[in-house]
Amino acid sequence: LPLVTRSLTQGQTRRAPGKEGRRASEREGERRRRSRSRLALICIAKAPRSMVASPAQAVLFGGTLGFFTQLYANGVRQLPVLRKPWEHGIAALIGSGFGLSMIHMEEKLRVYIEEQTAARGRK
């Protein structure tokens, strides 16, 4: 049988779900909430030391990203790729600063999450 769908007109009303339908949707909502909280706990868990980026790695990665962003911008505009080389240096410095700031933001976020977790544990 073909599936027929149509929108409700002014004279038609949508039927409320029965008890079984409501219970099933409540169970589904509870299951989703539990899975989200488990995911949050997994994300909050402290990463092993090998997974944490050092400031030198962040600066190097950010600088490389800034440099290649400038290369890409010139390439898209069909200009010589290394035109105005000081722009590449400026982009690399900005990218390095961004990479370093990400390390600091990550540390602040980690401390904040630990404080919030401790505060929830006291309640």
Side-chain angles (χ1 to χ4, degrees), residues 20-30:
E20 289 79 26
R22 271 190 242 123
R23 287 183 189 141
S25 65
E26 288 170 1
R27 283 192 302 266
E28 180 67 22
E30 182 62 30

Side-chain angles (χ1 to χ4, degrees), residues 40-49 51-53 101-119:
L41 289 175
I42 291 169
C43 293
I44 291 172
K46 190 173 181 181
R49 184 67 192 148
M51 296 289 291
V52 178
S101 68
M102 292 305 292
I103 292 288
H104 295 303
M105 281 191 270
E106 183 180 347
E107 180 62 26
K108 285 181 185 178
L109 181 63
R110 188 187 59 75
V111 169
Y112 175 75
I113 289 173
E114 287 175 359
E115 288 173 358
Q116 295 298 316
T117 306

